[in-house]
């Protein structure tokens, strides 16, 4: 049996990315019901909000689901306690080191899976007791690291003995198959689930993702040390111009503050942050979470078999 | 002795001259290390000196001198 499925008690090795403001109980429950691992993103939200979301998720599904804890959140301490109290089975973490919550979570038998951007950090997380790591390449949407999925995943796989989940740039059976070939045991997919029927973001946001082409994302904030990928619009244009002009951190932060909310909730895709991964260009249809998961599993098998056959016939005859 | 070894490790990881790594050099501002580089350096120091540097402590280590003191105290 696949090590990640076995560890987490899920049917398919597909995680839904913990996208702040986006990933609430509705999409998480739908992905878990479909056989993957749905993930509620705590983002910068207060602990009470998260508690309600976890309870709402449990009302829809009794399958395992996870919570993504954003460690830079002002509410991180309370959020860490809530996930333990509410009996969440899996925690993924981003933007830092979950070390100080490790004991609390492990005592409850929870599985802790940090997102890592480099080999050294992956090794450090393993040493700190992580059950698996998500190696996330810079193709992803939102806050990103520098390395691509293609180079990061195999190197992390070689460096640690815990399972590795690949993330960044994966949206169909081909990407899924490629990630498995690089040694990943599972994939995490964000952008494709943005347009899932159960994903309750503003329609205008979904439309932007569906219309996006291969070159439509840009990275802002490289100068601040906190790069963010999203679809280009007036906001990214102003931001990049200000960075070029050497604007100070405060001004840049002002421009970025509340921008994701503006896009996700208010549907302002001109001046809001329409975060999405580079793979947005590949995503062209609205589907339910079940359809997405089923299609990924079907295509994974088809792609693998067809390519292996072709390679054998063409190159090893 | 600790300092010389640290100079070599930091210079090697960041691709700079050993002489640029001074006791008062800050990793981030003076030597241009980002957070990923810092973890690389910390892992290498742990291996070289047989010490364990906790995550909370990593944030406290700002300069090469801080690192030298940290290691010396714990060796």
């Amino acid at each position: 049996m696949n090590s990640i499925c076995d560890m987490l008690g899920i049917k398919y090795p597909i995680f839904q990315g913990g996208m702040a403001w986006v990933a609430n109980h509705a999409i998480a429950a739908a992905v878990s019901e479909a056989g993957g691992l749905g993930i509620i993103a705590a983002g910068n939200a207060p602990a009470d909000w998260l508690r309600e979301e976890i309870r709402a998720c449990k009302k829809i599904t009794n399958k395992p689901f996870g919570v993504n804890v954003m460690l830079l959140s002002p509410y991180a301490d309370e959020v860490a306690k809530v996930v333990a109290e509410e009996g969440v089975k899996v925690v993924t973490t981003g933007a830092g080191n979950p070390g100080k919550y490790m004991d609390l979570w492990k005592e409850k038998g929870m599985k802790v899976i940090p997102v890592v951007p480099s080999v050294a950090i992956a090794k450090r997380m393993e040493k700190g007791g992580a059950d698996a790591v998500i190696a996330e390449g810079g193709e992803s949407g939102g806050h990103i690291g520098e390395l691509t999925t293609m180079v990061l995943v195999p190197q992390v796989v070689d460096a640690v003995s815990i399972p590795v989940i690949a993330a960044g740039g994966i949206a169909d059976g081909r990407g899924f198959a490629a990630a498995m070939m690089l040694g990943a045991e599972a994939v995490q997919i964000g952008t494709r689930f943005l347009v899932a029927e159960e994903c309750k973001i503003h329609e205008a946001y979904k439309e932007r993702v569906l219309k996006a082409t291969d070159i439509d994302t840009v990275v802002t904030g490289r100068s601040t040390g906190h790069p963010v990928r999203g679809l280009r619009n007036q906001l990214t244009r102003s931001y990049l111009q200000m960075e070029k002009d050497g604007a100070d951190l405060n001004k840049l932060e002002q421009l970025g503050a509340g921008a994701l909310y503006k896009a996700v909730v208010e549907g302002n895709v001109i001046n809001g942050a329409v975060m999405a991964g580079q793979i947005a260009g590949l995503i062209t249809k609205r589907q339910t979470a079940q359809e997405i998961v089923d299609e990924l599993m079907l295509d994974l098998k088809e792609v693998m078999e067809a390519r292996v056959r072709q390679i054998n016939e063409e190159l090893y005859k | 002795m600790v300092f010389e070894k640290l100079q070599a490790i930091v210079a090697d990881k960041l691709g700079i001259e050993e002489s640029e790594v001074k006791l008062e050099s800050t990793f981030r501002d003076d030597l241009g290390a980002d957070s990923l580089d810092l973890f690389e350096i910390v892992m290498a120091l742990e291996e070289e000196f047989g010490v364990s540097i906790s995550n909370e402590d990593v944030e406290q280590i700002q300069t090469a001198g801080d690192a030298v003191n940290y290691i010396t105290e714990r060796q």
Side-chain angles (χ1 to χ4, degrees):
Chain A
M1 193 176 180
N2 174 281
S3 64
I4 285 288
C5 292
D6 195 29
M7 178 196 291
L8 306 180
I10 55 177
K11 195 168 172 197
Y12 303 127
I14 300 170
F15 289 21
Q16 158 250 316
M19 302 167 280
W21 283 114
V22 171
N24 65 5
H25 72 275
I27 182 66
V31 173
S32 284
E33 272 297 293
L37 184 78
I39 295 178
I40 299 169
N44 275 320
D48 287 341
W49 175 87
L50 180 64
R51 197 187 295 276
E52 292 308 311
E53 288 295 317
I54 293 169
R55 290 180 180 175
C57 196
K58 281 184 182 163
K59 280 194 186 129
I60 308 175
T61 184
N62 50 23
K63 300 204 166 104
F65 63 90
V67 169
N68 176 261
V69 177
M70 212 277 281
L71 296 162
L72 284 178
S73 160
Y75 305 106
D77 286 349
E78 294 146 85
V79 160
K81 270 190 218 122
V82 165
V83 289
E85 284 165 12
E86 294 295 319
V88 172
K89 300 281 192 302
V90 189
V91 178
T92 63
T93 64
N97 195 308
K100 65 172 169 170
Y101 307 123
M102 212 53 126
D103 290 344
L104 169 72
W105 291 338
K106 299 300 257 184
E107 260 170 40
K108 295 266 181 185
M110 296 161 65
K111 301 297 177 194
V112 184
I113 309 182
V115 174
V116 299
S118 76
V119 166
I121 293 182
K123 281 161 91 170
R124 208 168 163 81
M125 295 298 175
E126 179 180 38
K127 228 165 111 186
D131 296 282
V133 288
I134 301 170
E136 186 186 83
E139 296 95 321
S140 311
H143 287 269
I144 55 167
E146 197 62 48
L147 298 177
T148 59
T149 305
M150 183 75 132
V151 303
L152 180 63
V153 172
Q155 295 187 75
V156 170
V157 166
D158 285 348
V160 299
S161 51
I162 50 179
V164 175
I165 297 102
I170 303 164
D172 69 2
R174 291 168 295 179
F176 193 173
M180 301 301 263
M181 295 308 284
L182 294 174
E185 296 285 330
V187 290
Q188 175 164 286
I189 292 177
T191 306
R192 185 158 178 194
F193 284 117
L194 279 174
V195 299
E197 302 287 353
E198 298 90 342
C199 184
K200 302 299 177 201
I201 58 174
H202 200 283
E203 276 304 309
Y205 199 122
K206 290 191 178 184
E207 278 302 315
R208 276 292 329 254
V209 174
L210 290 165
K211 282 192 185 137
T213 67
D214 56 346
I215 58 164
D216 278 343
T217 72
V218 288
V219 177
T220 53
R222 284 203 199 277
S223 68
T224 68
H226 298 286
V228 171
R229 182 181 300 286
L231 295 173
R232 61 179 162 193
N233 59 9
Q234 187 53 49
L235 172 73
T236 63
R237 242 173 87 186
S238 311
Y239 199 104
L240 289 170
Q241 189 58 49
M242 279 169 71
E243 280 193 276
K244 215 166 160 189
D245 296 342
D248 65 47
L249 206 58
N250 282 338
K251 285 228 172 84
L252 289 170
E253 270 173 9
Q254 250 172 34
L255 188 61
L260 182 58
Y261 178 88
K262 220 185 260 178
V264 171
V265 181
E266 296 172 0
N268 186 339
V269 294
I270 306 296
N271 296 303
V274 191
M275 294 183 191
Q278 281 184 322
I279 203 71
L282 201 72
I283 294 160
T284 51
K285 57 185 176 193
R286 293 163 190 268
Q287 291 170 299
T288 63
Q290 184 76 59
E291 286 166 347
I292 293 174
V293 168
D294 288 347
E295 195 175 290
L296 283 164
M297 289 309 297
L298 194 70
D299 288 352
L300 169 66
K301 191 169 161 59
E302 264 184 30
V303 166
M304 284 278 195
E305 287 177 354
R307 288 300 278 163
V308 167
R309 203 181 316 122
Q310 189 187 1
I311 288 167
N312 273 328
E313 281 168 9
E314 290 176 359
L315 301 176
Y316 295 100
K317 261 275 144 69
Chain B
M1 194 53 195
V2 170
F3 178 57
E4 282 76 28
K5 278 189 188 164
L6 177 133
Q7 265 187 317
I9 288 171
V10 173
D12 183 48
K13 288 285 174 199
L14 299 179
I16 57 178
E17 295 288 340
E18 285 184 25
S19 58
E20 278 195 54
V21 184
K22 303 184 182 71
L23 276 171
E24 67 275 17
S25 310
T26 57
F27 289 112
R28 282 178 189 273
D29 292 338
D30 295 338
L31 304 178
D34 63 19
S35 58
L36 298 192
D37 296 326
L38 282 178
F39 275 101
E40 287 276 338
I41 292 168
V42 163
M43 302 282 287
L45 294 177
E46 285 185 332
E47 206 164 295
E48 175 70 33
F49 297 105
V51 294
S52 171
I53 309 177
S54 77
N55 296 313
E56 288 71 37
D57 291 342
V58 171
E59 285 155 34
Q60 305 306 315
I61 298 173
Q62 303 280 333
T63 65
D66 292 344
V68 170
N69 290 338
Y70 189 94
I71 293 161
T72 318
E73 281 165 21
R74 280 162 185 77
Q75 259 186 331

